[in-house]
Every structure is written in structure tokens, then in C-alpha cells.
């Protein structure tokens, strides 16, 4: 109890600064899913899902639900191979199952919708570069990282770029929803969003350092990153204990809150 109180006083508790929305829906598998506001996305929405790994359940479910314009980014062999594997199974009409022994999940997307998803084999960073992605030292952990695992002797090299550059290349002046699950690189990417004043309406981010920390200061690195978003006009509307968080621009938050209130009045 004392620890939780101290965290609240320091502003590093998982629920610090959360201004919740009630009308949220869950998409994706148990391990890699996220909550998204209702009455927010549609078929014209542009969605960037950064960090595929070996689970693109969230990405595909948003395509199924809203038929949005979905782009998946991942430069790693794991991400590329998994996307290709799902594509092959979907096009054959054979359901692919993730984690059959633990958290069983079946891809249900149609071939037509899956083939409308665009895969971009590039990672996010603060500049265009060829970056070292270090191998995780934990068993059964598939994600490489440019920020974590730097003591590892094994790594791959892959292309990265600044988010603003990729948006220009793809012809997008705005993003409706950005999901970043990128093993510690989220700090740099959030900095670029704020610095470049990018038009990103909602941001889903998993702060991966909580799983792979080497010191206690990670709490304050996460807090600092979240504070930057809040100062840039975002509202933190949801946070899990494991610090998977949803930020929404204030004007959209206000609109969604008004819909929530009007729904209560009926």
C-alpha cells in the first residue's frame, strides 16, 4: 500500500493523470491487444501499427471492424516472416492459430481485407538510418530492440526512419491512430511526434522497458515521455498496470466525452 501511495505522489502510478473514457472496445489477442475508443474510426481512417513481431491480431481486427487503411511497419525478420505466414494461411482459407497452448487466438480476416493491408519493412527512430537491433537474451522472446538488450553480442541490422518522413513518403498529412510497440524506441518516436508537431489523433503505446529494466529510473523516463504528450495536447484516457497506454488529442477526447454524456442522458 505504501509503495502505491508513493508512486501516486511521484506521478508514476499506472493510473496517474488518467482521464478515462467509458466507451472503449478491445481488439486483438490477449497478449497483444489494445482498447480503442468507440465512435472514432471508420473506413477513411489511417492507422499505423508499428511493431508486428509475431502477432498482428490487433492490426487485422481493426481492418475487419472498420475497413480502415491499415499500414504495418516492422523491419525485423520475425515481423516480416509472420506477416507473410499469416498472408499465406489467409489466402489458402486455412485459419492460423497463435499460442495454441496459452492464449489461443485465431486469425479470421478475409483474403480481400488482408491483402488491402500494406506492410512496410522499416522501423521507427528519430532519423533515417540502418540501425542495430539487438537480440533478446530471454528465451521465447522474439522482439529485437535498438534501445534494449544492448549488452547482447548478437544483432541484426535493419532500416529505420523518422515518422514524419514515412508519412510524407506514403502521402499522409495525418494519422488517425498510431500503435507503437517497439521495445524501448517509443521514447525517441514520441519525441519526434512532439518536435515535428505531427497530426496524430490517437496514440497507443506499450512502454516495454517495464519488462526489461536495468534500473528504477525507468518509471521517470516513462513519466517524462507521457508528460511530453500531455503538454502537446493529448489526454491519457487508459492505462494498464503494465503501462500499455492510450492517448487521444484533447479536442477528440472532448467530443467522445460529450457523446458519453449524451448517451447517459437518453
Amino acid at each position: 500500500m505504501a509503495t502505491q501511495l508513493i508512486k501516486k505522489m511521484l506521478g508514476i502510478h499506472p493510473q496517474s493523470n488518467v482521464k478515462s473514457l467509458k466507451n472503449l472496445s478491445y481488439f486483438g489477442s490477449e497478449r497483444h491487444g489494445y482498447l480503442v475508443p468507440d465512435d472514432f474510426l471508420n473506413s477513411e481512417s489511417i492507422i499505423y501499427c508499428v511493431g508486428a513481431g509475431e502477432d498482428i491480431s490487433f492490426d487485422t481486427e481493426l481492418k475487419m471492424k472498420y475497413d480502415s487503411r491499415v499500414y504495418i511497419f516492422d523491419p525485423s525478420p520475425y515481423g516480416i516472416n509472420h506477416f507473410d505466414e499469416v498472408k499465406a494461411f489467409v489466402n489458402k482459407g486455412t485459419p492460423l492459430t497463435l499460442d495454441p497452448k496459452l492464449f489461443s487466438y485465431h486469425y479470421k480476416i478475409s483474403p480481400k481485407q488482408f491483402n488491402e493491408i500494406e506492410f512496410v519493412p522499416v522501423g521507427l527512430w528519430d532519423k533515417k538510418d540502418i540501425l542495430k537491433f539487438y537480440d533478446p537474451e530471454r528465451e521465447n522472446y522474439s522482439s529485437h530492440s535498438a534501445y534494449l538488450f544492448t549488452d547482447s553480442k548478437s544483432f541484426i541490422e535493419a532500416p529505420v526512419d523518422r515518422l514524419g518522413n514515412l508519412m510524407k513518403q506514403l502521402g499522409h498529412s495525418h494519422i488517425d491512430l498510431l500503435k507503437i510497440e517497439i521495445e524501448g524506441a517509443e521514447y525517441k518516436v514520441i519525441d519526434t511526434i512532439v518536435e515535428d508537431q505531427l497530426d496524430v489523433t490517437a496514440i497507443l503505446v506499450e512502454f516495454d522497458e517495464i519488462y526489461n529494466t536495468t534500473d528504477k529510473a525507468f518509471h521517470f523516463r516513462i513519466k517524462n515521455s507521457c508528460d511530453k504528450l500531455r503538454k502537446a495536447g493529448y489526454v491519457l484516457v487508459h492505462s494498464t498496470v503494465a503501462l500499455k497506454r492510450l492517448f487521444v488529442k484533447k479536442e477528440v477526447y472532448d467530443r467522445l466525452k460529450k457523446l458519453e454524456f449524451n448517451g447517459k442522458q437518453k
Side-chain angles (χ1 to χ4, degrees):
M1 266 318 257
T3 301
Q4 297 303 313
L5 182 59
I6 292 170
K7 284 185 176 181
K8 287 179 180 178
M9 291 173 64
L10 294 173
I12 59 174
H13 188 274
Q15 299 307 311
S16 292
N17 300 307
V18 173
K19 296 180 179 179
S20 62
L21 287 172
K22 291 186 177 179
N23 298 326
L24 303 172
S25 295
Y26 188 86
F27 296 92
S29 66
E30 186 169 339
R31 290 202 297 171
H32 292 279
Y34 292 85
L35 286 166
V36 174
D38 297 343
D39 302 305
F40 171 56
L41 298 171
N42 56 49
S43 62
E44 297 300 314
S45 299
I46 297 171
I47 300 172
Y48 282 19
C49 296
V50 186
E54 294 182 317
D55 188 326
I56 55 172
S57 56
F58 173 80
D59 322 33
T60 58
E61 285 195 5
L62 286 187
K63 180 64 180 178
M64 290 165 60
K65 172 69 174 179
Y66 298 106
D67 200 28
S68 301
R69 297 155 65 188
V70 177
Y71 298 78
I72 299 176
F73 299 77
D74 197 320
S76 73
Y78 287 106
I80 294 168
N81 292 341
H82 184 66
F83 182 85
D84 289 343
E85 181 185 24
V86 176
K87 184 175 184 177
F89 271 81
V90 167
N91 287 334
K92 286 179 185 175
T94 307
L96 178 65
T97 302
L98 295 175
D99 294 331
K101 294 181 180 178
L102 296 174
F103 306 102
S104 184
Y105 177 86
H106 304 276
Y107 285 106
K108 298 175 183 176
I109 189 169
S110 71
K112 178 182 181 299
Q113 286 193 314
F114 190 91
N115 290 317
E116 289 173 353
I117 295 173
E118 185 169 339
F119 188 91
V120 183
V122 178
L124 286 191
W125 197 240
D126 60 354
K127 62 181 178 180
K128 186 172 184 177
D129 204 351
I130 301 296
L131 207 61
K132 290 180 179 178
F133 286 79
Y134 295 90
D135 291 354
E137 296 178 317
R138 290 161 49 190
E139 291 186 12
N140 301 317
Y141 196 84
S142 62
S143 298
H144 291 71
S145 175
Y147 180 87
L148 307 171
F149 322 134
T150 52
D151 290 335
S152 174
K153 296 178 181 178
S154 181
F155 60 85
I156 61 171
E157 292 186 322
V160 292
D161 207 342
R162 199 172 176 98
L163 178 58
N165 293 340
L166 291 169
M167 289 173 67
K168 288 176 184 175
Q169 292 169 27
L170 292 167
H172 300 145
S173 60
H174 79 283
I175 302 170
D176 294 285
L177 178 65
L178 170 67
K179 182 204 79 174
I180 42 179
E181 193 170 324
I182 48 179
E183 310 301 321
E186 58 271 10
Y187 299 123
K188 282 187 178 290
V189 174
I190 287 170
D191 284 348
T192 70
I193 292 170
V194 174
E195 290 166 6
D196 296 345
Q197 298 182 339
L198 298 179
D199 186 1
V200 182
T201 307
I203 300 170
L204 285 162
V205 54
E206 179 178 64
F207 287 97
D208 289 284
E209 200 177 5
I210 192 172
Y211 301 110
N212 301 282
T213 187
T214 55
D215 60 54
K216 298 276 185 175
F218 79 92
H219 286 294
F220 298 98
R221 287 191 285 273
I222 293 171
K223 179 182 182 299
N224 182 53
S225 199
C226 293
D227 286 347
K228 289 178 182 178
L229 285 175
R230 292 194 302 111
K231 287 176 183 177
Y234 288 89
V235 178
L236 174 59
V237 303
H238 184 264
S239 176
T240 67
V241 173
L243 298 182
K244 292 176 75 167
R245 294 187 151 178
L246 167 62
F247 292 86
V248 177
K249 276 192 172 180
K250 187 178 185 305
E251 56 268 29
V252 176
Y253 171 83
D254 290 342
R255 177 178 68 81
L256 294 172
K257 203 68 180 174
K258 186 176 180 180
L259 287 173
E260 185 179 296
F261 178 77
N262 289 340
K264 287 181 182 177
Q265 296 297 98
K266 291 178 180 179

